């Protein structure tokens, strides 16, 4: 016989018919009436013990499958007395990750039941098994409405919790009136849950704000901290989503100030105190609301200034609770129109946070100071020594934040000291920080360098220490800097030669040294430089060093190109015989690298066929000033490409890659072909390559065009139409960044209609430093044989302020001169 309390019977009860006590249902063996005997399933406690006792995953699944089968059978039989027990077991199975969707309708039945035990499990099941993706959740709307109007606090609490957990927009609209009535109920238990439900409704349906505005003012007079905390949260949500609500609640700023002052000045309270701080959760919420109400509002900011100073000076920071309140106070001070002295106090608080032993607090302080450095630079500067000390933190996140803040603190007055500290950090910093540190030092040196010699020395030290981590444009910037400092040519070439003789593994350093030796090798051999120690160099030593670079397995193809071009230029600067150079050049005429082979063949041809022009062709590079016209910049880029600074870089997979993005314009794709070369004459390639003197390009007659601007990132287009090929249009895309954060992983892609041919050159880099650093440039070559009106579609992808951004837009207002 079966146990009457629903538990399994004794072992001997079923032994005569061979039925296990774990069976879902059994058939009587020997029952003269042939009746089916139902064996009860496990209790919830027994089920938990059975599952925990399973030794394997398969055994656990077996137990759950058998029990779920019995739960289904029980649901089909419609047992109203034990339905809540079966659903409770199903919810436990759901918490373990097994399917439990077949219990959704049982939740609805239990919620509609008049018994509290059924409602409790039914509402719990609804919160776990139902959401907005199932239409079944709408079926409980009437049940929740009825329970909210019953007047039984426990039932009202269950209904409100369920509504605030899984209530959809439709349910919120239908039940907003009932919730609004409960906000002013006598029971504090119901009022607290009604306030939290109203917060959920506002987040789901912001247009319900008008319904909850009137009760909020009355709820601010509550003494119950739970209700007050929910009310502050509700007002914050209203202000963030409705300008009218923001204007309305600015009238209650004095009352919020009074509440917060009471919390700060009240003595120790066992009920609300945490680590000696009176209800820090409520204080933080009030401070966040004050920050919203005081932003861009003079009167509200003036009202809360004294209170913020009181909180900042009276809060105990020996515990995390006090630090949290103090940090929110600092954020509020910095976000409203506070007094200057109060802002200095906020920065000093963050400075004290930097001395805290807790790494989390130090990280928060560094992040906050980085946000303030633009608005309160002088106040943050006072804590520069502490920030520099944080560079040595073993924690990677702390040292990265300290590096970002240290770079932001560099200015013209402290550039020498800060650069020295950063260079010391560069020598020992983790590899993942070296690229950012090297780029930051180079950018700071470019912006605030006191002298050209100091600037050159700084870049050389960075290249020597972490050359492989510098940005792609570091080589071009240093060569331009050295070329513009004529009085430092001898000093630079001697320093670079010494550095190259010591280490040829740093590829950017080798490239700059090879370029400088090629340009100013005659000054190196003279041996006279007052600014360096005496150094006597022979021609054979210089040639041997460059040959060593060419033969080194560490040298990249681009580096070999620099060295080969340097040897070629030294053939006109050395006094000895140039046969050795000619032999080296001829050897690389059969090099496997196509670019290097082509360059060697052209140089060998120059020795043989154009030897009388070699001295004129290989003259020193002319100085090109920064900030010149786009045509001058294009000419400089062309010269450097032809004389090996950039042409010898293996850019075949990048510069020659054609971007087929026509589907961005018209949804179709086509094969874009590269435009014809600029010089169609067969004999002009060598002359153009070696930069023979020719007619200067015509001045630009097409106005520039700004096509994009967002959060400090700007994109400008400048246009040039070569006179020899009128169907060809050169568009220089220049991206600049004036914001306070770097733009990284910057990619610009373009598309044109099928009647055009587009070729996209490789960009100068993919990082735009903050505060107007070096721009990123990219050349677009568009062939328009039909002279049709030009339409251009651009796609920008980049990371800014920690977010990934993608912008796709069409430029259809190009000047008429670009295609006519």
């Amino acid at each position: 016989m079966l146990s009457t309390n629903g538990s399994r019977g004794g072992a001997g009860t079923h032994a005569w018919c061979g039925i296990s006590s774990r069976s879902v249902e059994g058939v009587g063996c020997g029952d003269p009436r042939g009746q089916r005997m139902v064996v009860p399933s496990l209790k919830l406690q027994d089920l938990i013990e059975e599952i925990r006792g399973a030794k394997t995953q398969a055994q656990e699944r077996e137990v759950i499958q058998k029990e779920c089968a019995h739960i289904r059978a029980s649901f089909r039989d419609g047992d109203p007395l034990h339905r809540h027990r079966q659903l409770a077991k199903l919810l436990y199975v759901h918490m373990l990750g097994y399917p439990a969707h077949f219990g959704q309708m049982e939740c609805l039945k239990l919620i509609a039941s008049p018994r509290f035990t059924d409602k409790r499990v039914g509402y719990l099941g609804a919160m776990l098994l139902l959401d907005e993706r199932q239409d079944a959740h709408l079926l409980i709307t009437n049940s929740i409405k009825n329970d909210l109007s019953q007047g039984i606090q426990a039932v009202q609490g269950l209904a409100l919790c369920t509504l605030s957990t899984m209530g959809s927009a439709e349910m919120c609209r239908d039940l907003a009136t009932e919730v609004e009535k409960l906000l002013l109920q006598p029971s504090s238990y119901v009022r607290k849950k009604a306030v939290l439900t109203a917060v959920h409704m506002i987040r789901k349906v912001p247009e319900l704000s008008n319904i909850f505005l009137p009760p909020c003012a009355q709820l601010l007079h509550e003494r119950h901290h739970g209700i007050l905390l929910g009310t502050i949260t509700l007002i914050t949500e209203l202000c963030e989503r409705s300008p009218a609500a923001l204007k309305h609640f600015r009238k209650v700023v004095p009352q919020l100030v009074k509440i917060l002052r009471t919390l700060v000045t009240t003595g120790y309270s066992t009920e609300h105190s945490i680590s000696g701080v009176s209800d820090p959760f409520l204080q933080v919420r009030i401070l966040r609301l004050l920050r919203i109400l005081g932003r861009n509002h003079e009167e509200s900011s003036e009202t809360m200034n004294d209170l913020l100073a009181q909180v900042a000076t009276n809060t105990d920071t020996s515990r995390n609770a006090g630090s949290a309140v103090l940090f929110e106070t600092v954020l509020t001070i910095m976000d409203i129109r506070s007094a200057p002295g109060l802002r200095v106090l906020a920065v000093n608080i963050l400075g004290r946070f930097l001395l805290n032993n807790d790494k989390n607090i130090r990280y928060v302080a560094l992040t906050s100071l980085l946000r303030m450095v633009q608005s309160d630079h002088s106040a943050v500067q006072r804590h520069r020594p502490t920030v520099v000390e944080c560079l040595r933190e073993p924690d990677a996140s702390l040292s990265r934040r300290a590096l970002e803040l240290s770079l932001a603190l560099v200015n013209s007055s402290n550039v020498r000291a800060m650069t020295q500290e950063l260079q010391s950090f560069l020598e020992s910093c983790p590899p993942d920080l070296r690229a950012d540190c090297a780029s930051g030092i180079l950018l700071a040196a470019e912006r605030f360098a006191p002298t050209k010699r100091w600037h050159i020395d700084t870049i050389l030290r960075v290249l020597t220490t972490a050359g492989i981590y510098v940005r792609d444009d570091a080589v071009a910037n240093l060569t331009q800097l050295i070329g513009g400092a004529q009085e430092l040519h001898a000093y630079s070439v001697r320093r670079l030669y010494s550095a190259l003789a010591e280490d040829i593994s740093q590829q950017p350093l080798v490239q700059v040294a090879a370029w400088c030796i090629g340009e100013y090798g005659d000054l190196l051999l003279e041996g006279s430089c007052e600014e360096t120690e005496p150094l006597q160099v022979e021609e054979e030593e210089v040639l041997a060093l460059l040959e060593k670079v060419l033969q080194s397995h560490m040298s990249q193809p681009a580096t070999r190109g620099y060295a080969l071009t340097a040897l070629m230029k030294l053939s006109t600067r050395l006094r000895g015989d140039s046969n050795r150079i000619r032999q080296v050049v001829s050897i690389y005429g059969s090099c496997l690298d196509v670019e290097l082979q082509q360059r060697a063949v052209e140089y060998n041809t120059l020795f043989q066929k154009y030897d009388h022009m070699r001295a004129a062709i290989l003259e020193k590079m002319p100085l090109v000033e920064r900030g010149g016209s786009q045509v001058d910049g294009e000419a400089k880029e062309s010269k450097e490409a032809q004389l090996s600074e950039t042409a010898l870089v293996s850019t075949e997979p990048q510069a020659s890659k054609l971007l087929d993005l026509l589907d961005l314009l018209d949804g179709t794709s086509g094969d874009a072909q590269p435009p014809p070369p600029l010089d169609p004459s067969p004999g002009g390639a060598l002359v153009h390559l070696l930069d023979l003197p020719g007619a200067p390009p015509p001045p630009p007659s097409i106005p520039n065009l700004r096509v994009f601007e967002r959060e400090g990132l700007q994109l400008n287009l400048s246009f040039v139409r070569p006179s020899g090929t009128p169907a060809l249009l050169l568009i220089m895309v220049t991206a600049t960044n004036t914001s306070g954060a770097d733009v990284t992983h910057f990619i610009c892609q373009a598309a044109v209609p099928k009647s055009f041919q587009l070729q996209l050159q490789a960009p100068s880099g993919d990082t735009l430093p903050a505060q107007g650093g070096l721009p990123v440039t990219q050349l677009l070559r568009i062939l328009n044989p039909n002279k049709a009106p030009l339409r251009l579609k651009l796609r920008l992808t980049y990371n800014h302020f920690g977010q990934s951004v993608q912008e796709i837009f069409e430029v259809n207002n190009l000047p008429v001169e670009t295609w006519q």
Side-chain angles (χ1 to χ4, degrees):
M1 59 188 297
L2 299 178
S3 174
T4 56
N5 61 358
S7 63
R8 291 177 291 177
T13 305
H14 309 297
W16 62 275
C17 59
I19 298 177
S20 170
S21 62
R22 288 288 295 114
S23 300
V24 174
E25 60 183 18
V27 180
C29 304
D31 189 347
R33 293 171 296 177
Q35 296 178 348
R36 296 170 62 87
M37 182 176 62
V38 179
V39 179
S41 63
L42 297 173
K43 286 184 177 181
L44 176 59
Q45 182 178 357
D46 296 336
L47 175 63
I48 295 175
E49 292 178 357
E50 190 85 12
I51 292 175
R52 289 181 176 177
K55 297 181 179 180
T56 63
Q57 187 89 21
Q59 187 177 354
E60 177 183 305
R61 285 196 298 266
E62 182 182 359
V63 173
I64 290 176
Q65 287 173 359
K66 289 182 180 180
E67 197 61 37
C68 286
H70 192 282
I71 293 173
R72 286 191 181 95
S74 177
F75 287 163
R76 285 195 302 268
D77 295 342
D79 181 10
L81 296 178
H82 299 92
R83 182 182 288 125
H84 68 281
R85 296 182 181 178
Q86 304 297 340
L87 184 59
K89 291 187 292 184
L90 185 61
L91 294 180
Y92 178 73
V93 170
H94 169 74
M95 292 168 61
L96 296 178
Y98 293 91
H101 57 278
F102 58 89
Q104 293 176 354
M105 297 309 297
E106 299 303 317
C107 296
L108 304 181
K109 296 177 183 177
L110 290 176
I111 290 174
S113 172
R115 299 171 57 195
F116 178 76
T117 54
D118 290 343
K119 284 184 178 294
R120 180 176 59 182
V121 179
Y123 276 121
L124 177 61
M127 286 186 277
L128 293 177
L129 302 181
L130 295 178
D131 56 33
E132 297 183 41
R133 292 174 292 182
Q134 288 92 19
D135 293 336
H137 79 279
L138 296 174
L139 300 177
I140 65 174
T141 303
N142 287 333
S143 298
I144 293 178
K145 186 174 183 178
N146 293 333
D147 289 340
L148 291 178
S149 58
Q150 274 189 4
I152 303 176
Q153 295 183 18
V155 176
Q156 288 175 332
L158 290 174
L160 289 171
C161 286
T162 304
L163 182 58
S164 63
T165 301
M166 47 77 61
S168 62
E170 293 81 1
M171 294 176 64
C172 292
R173 291 188 182 95
D174 294 338
L175 300 174
T177 306
E178 281 70 19
V179 175
E180 187 264 339
K181 295 177 182 177
L182 295 177
L183 288 174
L184 301 178
Q185 282 291 315
S187 171
S188 60
Y189 172 81
V190 176
R191 287 205 307 275
K192 180 175 66 174
K193 293 186 177 297
V195 170
L196 297 178
T197 306
V199 172
H200 172 78
M201 288 183 166
I202 292 300
R203 291 171 178 170
K204 280 290 182 182
V205 190
E207 55 265 26
L208 295 177
S209 301
N210 295 332
I211 297 178
F212 299 107
L213 280 178
C216 287
Q218 186 173 348
L219 289 172
L220 283 177
H221 296 280
E222 283 284 346
R223 293 184 176 274
H224 191 283
H225 281 215
I227 300 176
L228 199 55
L229 180 62
T231 303
I232 299 297
T233 305
L234 177 59
I235 295 175
T236 303
E237 295 292 334
L238 291 171
C239 293
E240 287 179 344
R241 285 163 174 78
S242 172
L246 179 62
K247 184 178 179 180
H248 172 79
F249 285 111
R250 276 183 174 142
K251 302 175 184 177
V252 302
V253 169
Q255 189 173 353
L256 294 172
V257 169
K258 181 180 179 181
I259 296 173
L260 184 56
R261 180 173 283 112
T262 302
L263 290 173
V264 173
T265 57
T266 300
Y268 180 80
S269 172
T270 307
E271 184 179 0
H272 303 119
S273 179
I274 298 178
S275 301
V277 181
S278 178
D279 203 342
F281 299 101
L282 183 56
Q283 289 193 48
V284 167
R285 279 292 178 185
I286 294 176
L287 287 168
R288 290 179 181 176
L289 179 56
L290 290 176
R291 182 157 72 244
I292 297 174
L293 296 175
R295 187 180 299 144
N296 299 324
H297 194 259
E298 191 71 35
E299 183 179 353
S300 299
S301 301
E302 182 67 25
T303 304
M304 62 184 77
N305 269 341
D306 294 340
L307 171 68
L308 294 175
Q310 185 177 3
V311 175
T313 53
N314 293 342
T315 303
D316 181 19
T317 59
S318 59
R319 304 283 181 156
N320 277 344
S323 299
V325 173
L326 208 54
F327 176 66
E328 290 295 334
T329 305
V330 170
L331 295 183
T332 303
I333 291 172
M334 303 309 298
D335 216 13
I336 67 173
R337 296 184 177 180
S338 55
L342 200 57
R343 301 178 73 88
V344 173
L345 175 61
V347 175
N348 292 337
I349 291 173
L350 294 178
R352 292 203 304 271
F353 281 173
L354 291 177
L355 303 175
N356 198 294
N357 294 328
D358 193 322
K359 294 182 179 180
N360 294 325
I361 295 178
R362 292 206 300 274
Y363 181 84
V364 167
L366 289 170
T367 304
S368 303
L369 288 172
L370 186 60
R371 292 170 53 188
M372 300 176 185
V373 71
Q374 300 302 327
S375 57
D376 296 271
H377 192 274
S378 59
V380 180
Q381 278 286 355
R382 298 190 184 98
H383 305 281
R384 180 163 53 89
T386 310
V387 174
V388 172
E389 290 179 5
C390 293
L391 287 173
R392 271 70 183 180
E393 286 286 346
D395 188 276
S397 58
L398 280 176
S399 57
R400 180 176 293 277
R401 281 293 185 217
L403 174 61
E404 295 173 356
L405 182 55
S406 298
L407 292 173
L409 290 176
V410 178
N411 56 25
S412 56
S413 61
N414 62 17
V415 62
R416 291 180 182 270
M418 286 297 295
T419 303
Q420 186 175 0
E421 293 285 351
L422 291 170
Q423 286 175 338
S424 300
F425 173 68
L426 181 62
E427 296 175 356
S428 59
C429 72
D432 56 335
L433 290 180
R434 288 200 171 189
D436 295 335
C437 185
S439 299
I441 294 174
L442 294 180
L443 181 60
E446 183 178 359
R447 294 178 61 189
F448 306 111
T451 62
K452 287 186 178 181
R453 177 176 173 177
W454 181 91
H455 193 181
I456 293 174
D457 289 341
T458 300
I459 299 179
L460 287 181
R461 185 174 176 184
V462 172
L463 293 180
T464 305
T465 306
I468 60 175
Y469 295 97
V470 300
R471 292 189 322 219
D472 297 338
D473 57 351
V475 174
N477 292 340
L478 182 53
T479 54
Q480 186 182 33
L481 176 64
I482 294 174
Q486 185 175 0
E487 69 280 4
L488 297 175
H489 286 173
Y491 171 77
S492 301
V493 70
R494 294 172 71 82
R495 284 288 309 275
L496 285 166
Y497 177 82
S498 300
L500 182 61
E502 294 178 2
D503 184 13
I504 62 171
S505 63
Q506 303 286 357
Q507 296 300 292
L509 175 65
V510 177
Q511 293 172 10
V512 176
W515 180 91
C516 199
I517 292 173
E519 291 292 327
Y520 314 115
D522 51 342
L523 301 177
L524 176 63
L525 298 176
E526 288 178 0
S528 60
C529 181
E530 299 178 356
E531 299 177 351
T532 61
E533 297 180 0
L535 178 66
Q536 191 66 34
V537 181
E538 300 295 334
E539 294 183 4
E540 290 76 10
E541 296 176 357
V542 178
L543 297 179
L545 183 57
L546 292 176
E547 290 178 10
K548 181 181 178 182
V549 172
L550 284 170
Q551 298 168 4
S552 174
H553 68 279
M554 295 182 293
S555 296
Q556 301 173 354
T559 306
R560 291 191 174 96
Y562 276 92
L564 190 64
T565 303
L567 283 173
M568 191 64 186
K569 289 203 169 189
L570 286 178
S571 67
T572 64
R573 289 157 173 73
L574 300 182
R575 296 181 293 273
D577 191 8
S578 60
N579 287 331
R580 182 176 179 179
I581 298 176
R582 183 182 302 180
Q583 292 175 1
V584 174
V585 170
S586 62
I587 290 174
Y588 284 89
S590 57
C591 180
L592 294 178
D593 185 84
V594 178
E595 188 72 23
L596 196 58
Q597 178 190 123
Q598 178 183 352
R599 192 70 59 231
V601 169
E602 291 165 350
Y603 289 159
N604 194 42
T605 304
L606 186 62
F607 269 118
Q608 297 173 359
K609 191 175 180 180
Y610 299 95
D611 193 61
H612 61 285
M613 304 169 57
R614 181 161 51 89
I617 292 174
L618 298 176
E619 289 181 350
K620 293 182 180 180
M621 288 285 293
L623 176 64
V624 179
E625 296 291 342
R626 278 192 181 178
S629 65
Q630 293 293 336
V631 174
D632 291 339
E634 179 69 20
K636 177 198 172 186
E637 179 184 350
S638 176
K639 285 182 180 180
E640 292 184 349
Q642 293 143 13
L643 278 175
S644 82
E645 275 68 19
T646 57
L648 291 177
V649 183
S650 180
T651 57
E652 191 66 26
Q654 299 179 5
S656 300
K657 186 170 80 171
L658 301 179
L659 299 178
D660 183 14
L661 300 174
L662 298 177
D663 55 336
L664 294 179
L665 284 173
D666 49 16
T668 61
S669 62
D671 295 330
Q673 299 296 330
L678 296 180
D679 192 351
S681 60
L686 183 60
V687 176
H688 185 64
L689 173 71
L690 297 176
D691 194 30
L692 282 177
S701 59
I702 306 175
N704 297 343
L705 181 64
R706 177 172 295 175
V707 297
F708 178 79
E709 185 172 4
R710 173 181 171 178
E711 295 180 347
L713 177 62
Q714 297 178 0
L715 202 70
N716 297 319
L717 304 182
S718 57
F719 312 93
V720 175
R721 295 182 65 182
S723 57
T725 311
L728 181 64
L729 175 65
L730 304 179
I731 301 180
M732 180 62 71
V733 181
T734 304
T736 57
N737 177 24
T738 59
S739 68
D742 290 352
V743 174
T744 59
H745 301 89
F746 179 80
I747 299 176
C748 176
Q749 296 173 300
V752 293
K754 282 186 175 181
S755 58
F756 297 82
Q757 295 177 5
L758 170 66
Q759 184 180 15
L760 218 62
Q761 297 287 356
S764 61
D766 64 350
T767 301
L768 289 164
Q771 300 300 319
L774 289 177
V776 170
T777 59
Q778 190 169 10
L779 181 64
L780 278 63
R781 299 173 182 267
I782 300 178
L783 191 63
N784 183 9
N786 302 325
K787 295 187 176 182
L790 177 59
R791 289 189 302 135
L792 184 67
K793 197 156 193 176
L794 298 177
R795 177 166 64 188
L796 306 180
T797 56
Y798 56 90
N799 292 339
H800 199 198
F801 293 108
Q803 297 181 352
S804 180
V805 183
Q806 183 181 74
E807 294 284 348
I808 300 177
F809 55 92
E810 184 173 347
V811 182
N812 50 19
N813 60 340
L814 294 172
V816 180
E817 295 85 356
T818 59
W819 51 273
Q820 281 189 354

